[in-house]
Amino acid sequence: MATKSKTSRKPLRYRENGLAAYVADRSPDLYITFLSILVGIVLADLLQLARNDLTLWPLDAQAVMTWGQIFGMVSSALGTWAVYAHLAIARRQIPRFTESLAAFVGPLLLLFSNSFVGSADPTTWFLMAGVFLTVSVIASTVSVLTTAGAVEGQAFRRMLQPGGFLLILVLSAPCAFVAAAAIHGEWMGSWGAAAMAWATVPAAILLPVLYFRDWQRALREGPREASTRPKPIQAVGSITEGWVRDKVADVFITLISITIGLALQEMVDQARDRMTLWPLDSASLMTWGQIIGVVSSGLSAWLIYGHLAISRRGLPSYAETLSGAVAPLFLAIASGLTGRAEVWPWLYAAATYLALQIIVTRSFIQFAGDAVEKALLVRVNHPTGYTLVMLIGAPIYALIGLGDQFEVLPEGLVLCAVLASGPAGMLCAWLFLRDWRQALGVNAAAS
């Protein structure tokens, strides 16, 4: 007797109806929208700091250094946007987890680095610059390597050759760390620190110039095809309905990107205004764990809702359109509970957030009217996938919050629970993208 196959473990065959090509075609819009909003928030936050908190006149050594830091941050933000946005539009593949994180680590580091602009002791700013440049080397390499196999063959790998844009990052990172050590050891005066701050400006400008040179060369040397862009799905119905179906994801993506960006900015503002992050004692470590947990939850929510949006083709209801904003807005409110002396309100908020995530993600299945979309959502939202993290985490955080409120749990256990929130958010996003790629028929082994 033939045994019945377990369809839940097999990829769902979407290539025949064009959904995988459609998703690959829409993914650049998703990434460019969120990246642009994050970079815009970095620039707006820097402008607010310059207007309210920084001393820019008269031009003594401190003011000159502050101006150099400001221009360095602006150049780095624009350069980061130019590199990753134009790399995104050259990608025609279902995104991996590593690709999803690589484009956004840099802007988030810049957002936190804004807090150290204009400080009397610029050591921390140069340390953050070194971390940003080191992370940019890794992220740029990952982005180029993961794009090369799917778009233009080996052509994009040539972007990593010596003398290219990556050389600026490789040389600048150790210089930033050396400058931080020299300033901390008082081997460099205030004018020397100002000169080092201004040195970041030409480096940040030269990087995208070299990148565009290599990027254009890679595109020209790629294979010639009659049509390189996947065709959008032909929707059933009127011409207007088909056009709306192809564009409706942009509405959802924009809303979710803006709300998550605002939640992240609110977290940075709260950290800057009232939190103690150094030196690293138990209280500051608890605060860092809460901050990382909020940021990780925001990125995880964007990854899940954004990628679900670009794989949907149905006409949305009002409830479906607003559902993606519930979790980010809750994060923005819950950030006010971070860094407080009492930890249990934050733990209750974490449990509530996870419960909301379960409700919203499960409701997407009910919203789906198309059989193909419903099959995709059922496959992605299976109980042993990313929702398992939420199902386990929600009651655990509620119980730990209850124990902390009545002081029956040791502080070490509460600290471990808070520190675990960041990795849990990234695990949730990784499990989602793994199952999402498999459901689209893409081999997720390289994710």
Side-chain angles (χ1 to χ4, degrees), residues 241-258:
E241 180 184 351
W243 185 82
V244 171
R245 285 175 182 269
D246 285 340
K247 295 296 184 181
V248 71
D250 297 343
V251 178
F252 190 87
I253 290 169
T254 302
L255 175 63
I256 190 70
S257 299
I258 289 174

Side-chain angles (χ1 to χ4, degrees), residues 77-166:
L78 295 178
T80 298
W81 175 85
V83 169
Y84 291 113
H86 288 82
L87 195 58
I89 61 176
R91 180 180 287 124
R92 299 181 302 166
Q93 62 188 26
I94 307 297
R96 298 177 175 87
F97 178 69
T98 50
E99 299 168 23
S100 303
L101 291 184
F104 308 123
V105 175
L108 288 175
L109 285 175
L110 287 176
L111 184 59
F112 278 95
S113 299
N114 280 346
S115 302
F116 306 108
V117 173
S119 173
D121 182 8
T123 303
T124 307
W125 186 84
F126 280 102
L127 280 175
M128 290 296 295
V131 172
F132 167 76
L133 293 167
T134 303
V135 170
S136 296
V137 171
I138 300 172
S140 300
T141 304
V142 168
S143 296
V144 170
L145 291 178
T146 53
T147 302
V151 185
E152 301 293 347
Q154 297 297 320
F156 272 90
R157 294 183 184 273
R158 299 175 187 175
M159 296 177 65
L160 302 178
Q161 63 186 352
F165 78 100
L166 207 60

Side-chain angles (χ1 to χ4, degrees), residues 298-316:
L299 290 179
S300 177
W302 178 84
L303 287 169
I304 293 173
Y305 296 149
H307 289 85
L308 284 177
I310 62 175
S311 54
R312 290 291 311 278
R313 298 177 299 172
L315 298 178

